[in-house]
Amino acid sequence: MKIFLIGFMGCGKSRMGKNLSSKINRPFIDLDTLIESTQHKTVPEIFTELGENGFREIERDLLQNSAIADDAIISTGGGAPCFFDNMDWMNANGLTIFIDPPVKVLADRLINAKTERPLIKGKSFDELVLFVEDKLKERRPFYEKAQISLHGVSLTPEILLEELEKKGIKLV
């Protein structure tokens, strides 16, 4: 079964995906990295050249039409669940897990991130907190369609595996 990690940018999807991948010996795919490798451009370059709509179309096509292994752990971009029918498609084709840390934690991680993120470029910390709050209000209805939700800051693969076991899902 495919495992889709969803949540706002900076929530820890990629970190959790890599750690979980090594713990349960399954392939890990970061959807943004897959987009960059297939398009031969960075996400910011794609946003600049095609706009957010163009980026979202590429994202949907790779998510839904690429040959991602059935046992893969996939870290999606923060907006991926919120466009087209992506969230419904992920729920129908695997297990969706929403990683949900507090807003100020997200803002702190994003302001200190080494990766350029087109949607937050140039924002101060206070502007970033407001942006995250607003975007989360828009996106939360999509995120909350996930089959599993993990809330908190110090989430580990062990915590995730415990939550899955409580729901009768064993990955190891």
Side-chain angles (χ1 to χ4, degrees):
M1 142 181 39
K2 291 178 183 168
I3 300 169
F4 298 98
L5 301 176
I6 68 165
F8 202 77
M9 63 180 119
C11 73
K13 301 177 296 282
S14 294
R15 182 180 45 83
M16 174 68 81
K18 289 174 191 171
N19 291 341
L20 183 61
S21 168
S22 64
K23 181 153 188 70
I24 65 173
N25 198 27
R26 290 191 180 195
F28 170 71
I29 296 165
D30 183 295
L31 189 56
D32 283 348
T33 302
L34 181 62
I35 290 167
E36 289 181 339
S37 68
T38 61
Q39 300 301 303
H40 308 289
K41 296 176 185 167
T42 66
V43 169
E45 289 171 340
I46 297 167
F47 261 75
T48 299
E49 290 177 22
L50 303 176
E52 185 173 10
N53 289 340
F55 173 79
R56 297 298 176 194
E57 288 175 13
I58 293 167
E59 181 179 59
R60 177 196 55 202
D61 290 344
L62 281 174
L63 175 67
Q64 296 187 21
N65 300 319
S66 67
I68 295 174
D70 282 338
D71 63 345
I73 299 163
I74 301 110
S75 168
T76 69
C82 311
F83 289 85
F84 308 107
D85 63 342
N86 289 343
M87 193 64 207
D88 293 334
W89 185 88
M90 288 186 285
N91 276 329
N93 288 278
L95 176 68
T96 52
I97 301 168
F98 171 31
I99 301 174
D100 186 24
V103 169
K104 292 212 175 188
V105 170
L106 290 170
D108 190 53
R109 290 177 183 173
L110 292 169
I111 203 83
N112 294 308
K114 305 216 181 336
T115 309
E116 183 183 331
R117 298 176 188 258
L119 294 177
I120 61 168
K121 191 174 180 179
K123 293 188 180 343
S124 70
F125 183 77
D126 290 339
E127 291 169 330
L128 191 53
V129 168
L130 292 173
F131 175 82
V132 171
E133 287 173 342
D134 288 345
K135 275 291 184 198
L136 266 175
K137 282 179 193 167
E138 288 174 24
R139 293 179 175 186
R140 191 167 291 281
F142 296 96
Y143 294 159
E144 288 180 346
K145 289 182 180 180
Q147 294 146 331
I148 306 276
S149 292
L150 296 176
H151 307 281
V153 178
S154 301
L155 300 172
T156 64
E158 291 77 20
I159 291 170
L160 171 57
L161 291 171
E162 284 175 27
E163 286 300 313
L164 293 174
E165 276 193 36
K166 288 178 191 175
K167 301 221 184 244
I169 301 167
K170 292 198 178 220
L171 300 179
V172 287

Coordinates of all heavy atoms in Angstrom, one line a residue, residues 81-135:
P81 N -2.7 18.1 -1.8 CA -4.1 17.5 -1.5 C -5.2 18.5 -1.8 O -6.4 18.1 -1.9 CB -4.0 17.3 0.0 CG -2.6 17.3 0.4 CD -1.9 18.2 -0.6
C82 N -4.9 19.8 -2.0 CA -5.9 20.8 -2.1 C -6.3 21.1 -3.6 O -7.2 22.0 -3.8 CB -5.4 22.1 -1.5 SG -4.8 21.8 0.2
F83 N -5.8 20.5 -4.5 CA -6.0 20.8 -5.9 C -6.6 19.5 -6.7 O -6.2 18.4 -6.3 CB -4.8 21.3 -6.6 CG -4.4 22.6 -6.2 CD1 -3.6 22.8 -5.0 CD2 -4.8 23.8 -6.8 CE1 -3.2 24.1 -4.6 CE2 -4.5 25.0 -6.4 CZ -3.7 25.2 -5.3
F84 N -7.4 19.8 -7.6 CA -8.1 18.8 -8.5 C -8.7 17.8 -7.5 O -9.3 18.2 -6.5 CB -7.0 18.2 -9.4 CG -6.3 19.2 -10.2 CD1 -4.9 19.5 -9.9 CD2 -6.9 19.9 -11.2 CE1 -4.2 20.4 -10.7 CE2 -6.2 20.8 -12.0 CZ -4.9 21.1 -11.7
D85 N -8.6 16.5 -7.8 CA -9.2 15.5 -7.0 C -8.1 14.7 -6.3 O -8.2 13.5 -5.9 CB -10.0 14.5 -7.9 CG -9.1 13.8 -8.9 OD1 -8.0 14.2 -9.2 OD2 -9.6 12.7 -9.4
N86 N -6.9 15.4 -6.0 CA -5.8 14.7 -5.5 C -6.0 14.0 -4.2 O -5.6 12.9 -3.9 CB -4.6 15.7 -5.3 CG -4.0 16.1 -6.6 OD1 -4.2 15.4 -7.7 ND2 -3.2 17.1 -6.6
M87 N -6.7 14.7 -3.2 CA -7.0 14.1 -1.9 C -7.8 12.8 -2.0 O -7.5 11.8 -1.4 CB -7.6 15.1 -1.0 CG -7.6 14.7 0.5 SD -5.9 14.5 1.1 CE -6.1 13.3 2.4
D88 N -8.9 12.9 -2.8 CA -9.8 11.8 -3.0 C -9.0 10.6 -3.7 O -9.1 9.5 -3.3 CB -11.0 12.1 -3.8 CG -11.9 13.1 -3.1 OD1 -11.9 13.1 -1.8 OD2 -12.7 13.8 -3.8
W89 N -8.2 11.0 -4.7 CA -7.4 10.0 -5.4 C -6.4 9.3 -4.4 O -6.3 8.0 -4.4 CB -6.6 10.6 -6.5 CG -5.9 9.6 -7.3 CD1 -6.4 8.9 -8.4 CD2 -4.6 9.1 -7.1 NE1 -5.4 8.0 -8.9 CE2 -4.3 8.1 -8.1 CE3 -3.6 9.4 -6.2 CZ2 -3.1 7.4 -8.2 CZ3 -2.3 8.7 -6.3 CH2 -2.1 7.7 -7.2
M90 N -5.7 10.1 -3.5 CA -4.8 9.5 -2.6 C -5.5 8.6 -1.6 O -5.0 7.5 -1.3 CB -4.0 10.6 -1.8 CG -3.0 11.2 -2.7 SD -1.9 12.4 -1.8 CE -3.0 13.8 -1.6
N91 N -6.7 9.0 -1.1 CA -7.4 8.2 -0.2 C -7.9 6.8 -0.8 O -7.9 5.8 -0.2 CB -8.6 8.9 0.4 CG -8.3 9.8 1.5 OD1 -7.4 9.5 2.3 ND2 -9.0 10.9 1.7
A92 N -8.2 6.9 -2.1 CA -8.6 5.7 -2.8 C -7.4 4.8 -3.2 O -7.6 3.6 -3.5 CB -9.4 6.1 -4.1
N93 N -6.2 5.3 -3.2 CA -5.1 4.6 -3.7 C -4.0 4.3 -2.7 O -2.9 3.9 -3.0 CB -4.5 5.3 -4.9 CG -5.4 5.1 -6.1 OD1 -5.3 4.2 -6.8 ND2 -6.2 6.2 -6.4
G94 N -4.3 4.6 -1.4 CA -3.3 4.4 -0.4 C -3.8 4.9 0.9 O -5.0 5.1 1.2
L95 N -2.8 5.0 1.8 CA -3.1 5.5 3.2 C -2.6 6.9 3.3 O -1.5 7.2 3.0 CB -2.4 4.6 4.2 CG -2.4 5.0 5.7 CD1 -3.9 4.9 6.2 CD2 -1.5 4.2 6.5
T96 N -3.5 7.9 3.7 CA -3.1 9.3 3.9 C -2.9 9.6 5.3 O -3.7 9.3 6.2 CB -4.1 10.2 3.2 OG1 -5.4 9.9 3.8 CG2 -4.2 10.1 1.7
I97 N -1.8 10.3 5.6 CA -1.4 10.7 7.0 C -1.1 12.2 7.0 O -0.2 12.7 6.3 CB -0.2 9.9 7.4 CG1 -0.5 8.4 7.4 CG2 0.2 10.4 8.8 CD1 0.7 7.5 7.6
F98 N -1.9 12.9 7.8 CA -1.8 14.4 7.9 C -0.9 14.7 9.1 O -1.2 14.3 10.2 CB -3.2 14.9 8.1 CG -3.2 16.4 8.5 CD1 -2.3 17.3 8.1 CD2 -4.3 16.9 9.3 CE1 -2.4 18.7 8.5 CE2 -4.4 18.2 9.6 CZ -3.4 19.1 9.2
I99 N 0.2 15.3 8.9 CA 1.2 15.8 9.9 C 0.8 17.2 10.2 O 0.9 18.1 9.4 CB 2.6 15.6 9.4 CG1 2.9 14.1 9.1 CG2 3.6 16.1 10.5 CD1 4.2 13.8 8.5
D100 N 0.5 17.5 11.5 CA -0.1 18.8 11.9 C 0.6 19.4 13.1 O 0.0 19.3 14.2 CB -1.6 18.5 12.1 CG -2.4 19.8 12.4 OD1 -1.9 20.9 12.0 OD2 -3.4 19.7 13.0
P101 N 1.7 20.0 12.9 CA 2.3 20.8 14.1 C 1.7 22.1 14.2 O 0.9 22.6 13.4 CB 3.8 20.9 13.7 CG 3.8 20.9 12.2 CD 2.6 20.0 11.8
P102 N 1.9 22.8 15.4 CA 1.3 24.2 15.6 C 1.8 25.2 14.6 O 2.9 25.1 14.1 CB 1.8 24.5 17.0 CG 2.2 23.2 17.7 CD 2.6 22.3 16.6
V103 N 1.0 26.2 14.4 CA 1.3 27.3 13.4 C 2.7 27.9 13.6 O 3.5 28.1 12.7 CB 0.2 28.4 13.4 CG1 0.6 29.6 12.6 CG2 -1.0 27.8 12.8
K104 N 3.0 28.3 14.9 CA 4.3 29.0 15.2 C 5.5 28.1 14.9 O 6.5 28.6 14.5 CB 4.3 29.5 16.6 CG 3.2 30.7 16.7 CD 3.7 31.7 17.7 CE 2.6 32.8 17.6 NZ 2.9 34.0 18.3
V105 N 5.3 26.8 15.1 CA 6.4 25.8 14.8 C 6.6 25.8 13.3 O 7.7 25.9 12.8 CB 6.0 24.4 15.3 CG1 7.0 23.4 14.8 CG2 6.0 24.4 16.8
L106 N 5.5 25.8 12.5 CA 5.6 25.8 11.1 C 6.3 27.1 10.6 O 7.3 27.1 9.8 CB 4.3 25.8 10.4 CG 3.5 24.4 10.5 CD1 2.1 24.6 10.0 CD2 4.2 23.4 9.7
A107 N 5.9 28.3 11.1 CA 6.5 29.5 10.8 C 8.0 29.6 11.1 O 8.8 30.0 10.3 CB 5.8 30.7 11.4
D108 N 8.3 29.0 12.3 CA 9.8 29.0 12.7 C 10.6 28.2 11.8 O 11.7 28.5 11.4 CB 9.9 28.5 14.2 CG 11.2 28.7 14.7 OD1 11.8 29.9 14.7 OD2 11.8 27.7 15.2
R109 N 10.1 27.0 11.4 CA 10.8 26.1 10.5 C 10.9 26.8 9.1 O 12.0 26.7 8.5 CB 10.1 24.8 10.4 CG 10.1 23.9 11.6 CD 9.3 22.7 11.4 NE 9.3 21.8 12.6 CZ 8.6 20.7 12.7 NH1 7.8 20.3 11.7 NH2 8.6 20.1 13.9
L110 N 9.9 27.4 8.7 CA 9.9 28.0 7.3 C 10.8 29.2 7.2 O 11.5 29.4 6.2 CB 8.5 28.4 6.9 CG 7.6 27.2 6.6 CD1 6.1 27.6 6.5 CD2 8.1 26.4 5.4
I111 N 10.8 30.1 8.3 CA 11.7 31.3 8.2 C 13.2 30.9 8.3 O 14.0 31.6 7.7 CB 11.3 32.2 9.4 CG1 11.7 33.7 9.1 CG2 11.9 31.8 10.7 CD1 10.8 34.4 8.2
N112 N 13.5 29.7 8.8 CA 14.8 29.3 8.9 C 15.2 28.2 7.8 O 16.3 27.7 7.8 CB 15.1 28.7 10.3 CG 15.0 29.7 11.4 OD1 15.7 30.8 11.3 ND2 14.2 29.5 12.4
A113 N 14.3 27.9 6.9 CA 14.5 26.9 5.9 C 15.6 27.3 5.0 O 15.7 28.5 4.6 CB 13.2 26.6 5.2
K114 N 16.3 26.4 4.5 CA 17.4 26.6 3.5 C 16.8 26.5 2.1 O 17.5 27.0 1.2 CB 18.5 25.6 3.7 CG 19.1 25.6 5.1 CD 20.5 25.4 5.2 CE 21.1 25.4 6.6 NZ 20.5 26.0 7.6
T115 N 15.7 25.9 2.0 CA 15.0 25.7 0.7 C 14.2 26.9 0.3 O 13.4 27.4 1.2 CB 14.1 24.5 0.7 OG1 14.9 23.4 1.2 CG2 13.6 24.1 -0.7
E116 N 14.3 27.4 -0.9 CA 13.4 28.5 -1.3 C 12.0 28.0 -1.6 O 11.8 27.0 -2.3 CB 14.0 29.2 -2.6 CG 13.2 30.4 -3.1 CD 13.7 30.9 -4.4 OE1 14.9 30.8 -4.7 OE2 12.9 31.5 -5.1
R117 N 11.0 28.7 -1.0 CA 9.6 28.3 -1.2 C 8.9 29.5 -1.8 O 8.8 30.5 -1.2 CB 9.0 27.9 0.1 CG 9.8 26.6 0.7 CD 9.3 26.3 2.1 NE 10.0 25.2 2.7 CZ 9.7 24.0 2.8 NH1 8.6 23.6 2.2 NH2 10.4 23.1 3.4
P118 N 8.4 29.3 -3.0 CA 7.9 30.5 -3.8 C 6.7 31.2 -3.1 O 6.6 32.4 -3.2 CB 7.4 29.8 -5.1 CG 8.1 28.6 -5.2 CD 8.5 28.1 -3.9
L119 N 5.9 30.4 -2.3 CA 4.7 31.1 -1.7 C 5.0 31.9 -0.5 O 4.2 32.7 -0.1 CB 3.7 30.0 -1.3 CG 3.0 29.2 -2.5 CD1 2.1 28.1 -2.0 CD2 2.3 30.2 -3.4
I120 N 6.2 31.8 0.1 CA 6.5 32.6 1.3 C 7.8 33.5 1.1 O 8.2 34.1 2.1 CB 6.8 31.6 2.5 CG1 7.9 30.7 2.2 CG2 5.5 30.9 2.8 CD1 8.4 29.9 3.5
K121 N 8.3 33.5 -0.1 CA 9.5 34.3 -0.3 C 9.3 35.8 0.2 O 8.3 36.4 -0.2 CB 9.8 34.3 -1.8 CG 11.1 34.8 -2.2 CD 11.4 34.7 -3.7 CE 12.7 35.2 -4.0 NZ 13.0 35.0 -5.4
G122 N 10.3 36.2 0.9 CA 10.4 37.6 1.4 C 9.5 38.0 2.5 O 9.4 39.2 2.9
K123 N 8.8 37.1 3.2 CA 7.9 37.4 4.3 C 8.7 37.5 5.6 O 9.6 36.7 5.8 CB 6.8 36.3 4.4 CG 5.8 36.4 3.3 CD 4.7 35.5 3.5 CE 3.6 35.4 2.4 NZ 3.6 36.4 1.4
S124 N 8.4 38.4 6.5 CA 8.9 38.5 7.8 C 8.3 37.4 8.7 O 7.3 36.8 8.2 CB 8.6 39.8 8.5 OG 7.2 39.9 8.7
F125 N 8.8 37.2 9.9 CA 8.2 36.1 10.7 C 6.7 36.4 11.0 O 5.9 35.5 10.9 CB 9.0 36.0 12.0 CG 8.5 34.9 12.9 CD1 8.8 33.5 12.6 CD2 7.6 35.1 14.0 CE1 8.3 32.5 13.4 CE2 7.1 34.1 14.8 CZ 7.5 32.8 14.5
D126 N 6.4 37.6 11.4 CA 5.0 37.9 11.7 C 4.1 37.8 10.4 O 3.0 37.2 10.5 CB 4.8 39.4 12.2 CG 5.4 39.5 13.6 OD1 5.6 38.4 14.3 OD2 5.8 40.6 14.0
E127 N 4.6 38.2 9.3 CA 3.8 38.0 8.0 C 3.7 36.5 7.7 O 2.6 36.1 7.3 CB 4.5 38.7 6.9 CG 4.5 40.2 6.9 CD 5.5 40.8 5.9 OE1 6.5 40.2 5.5 OE2 5.1 41.9 5.4
L128 N 4.7 35.8 8.0 CA 4.7 34.3 7.8 C 3.7 33.6 8.7 O 2.9 32.8 8.2 CB 6.1 33.7 8.0 CG 6.3 32.3 7.6 CD1 5.9 32.1 6.1 CD2 7.8 32.0 7.8
V129 N 3.6 34.0 10.0 CA 2.6 33.4 10.9 C 1.2 33.7 10.3 O 0.4 32.8 10.3 CB 2.7 34.0 12.3 CG1 1.5 33.6 13.2 CG2 4.0 33.5 12.9
L130 N 0.9 34.9 9.9 CA -0.4 35.2 9.4 C -0.7 34.5 8.1 O -1.8 33.9 7.9 CB -0.5 36.7 9.1 CG -0.6 37.6 10.3 CD1 -0.5 39.1 9.9 CD2 -1.8 37.3 11.2
F131 N 0.3 34.3 7.2 CA 0.2 33.6 6.0 C -0.2 32.1 6.3 O -1.1 31.5 5.7 CB 1.5 33.7 5.1 CG 1.4 32.8 3.9 CD1 0.8 33.3 2.8 CD2 2.0 31.6 3.9 CE1 0.8 32.5 1.6 CE2 2.0 30.8 2.8 CZ 1.4 31.2 1.6
V132 N 0.6 31.5 7.2 CA 0.4 30.1 7.5 C -1.0 29.9 8.1 O -1.7 29.0 7.7 CB 1.5 29.6 8.5 CG1 1.1 28.2 9.1 CG2 2.8 29.6 7.8
E133 N -1.4 30.8 9.0 CA -2.8 30.7 9.6 C -3.9 30.8 8.5 O -4.8 30.0 8.5 CB -3.0 31.8 10.6 CG -2.3 31.7 11.9 CD -2.4 32.9 12.8 OE1 -2.7 34.0 12.4 OE2 -2.1 32.6 14.0
D134 N -3.7 31.7 7.6 CA -4.7 31.9 6.5 C -4.7 30.7 5.6 O -5.8 30.2 5.2 CB -4.4 33.2 5.7 CG -4.8 34.4 6.4 OD1 -5.5 34.4 7.5 OD2 -4.3 35.5 6.0
K135 N -3.5 30.3 5.2 CA -3.5 29.1 4.2 C -4.0 27.8 4.9 O -4.6 27.0 4.2 CB -2.0 28.9 3.7 CG -1.6 29.7 2.6 CD -2.4 29.3 1.3 CE -1.9 30.0 0.1 NZ -2.9 29.9 -1.0

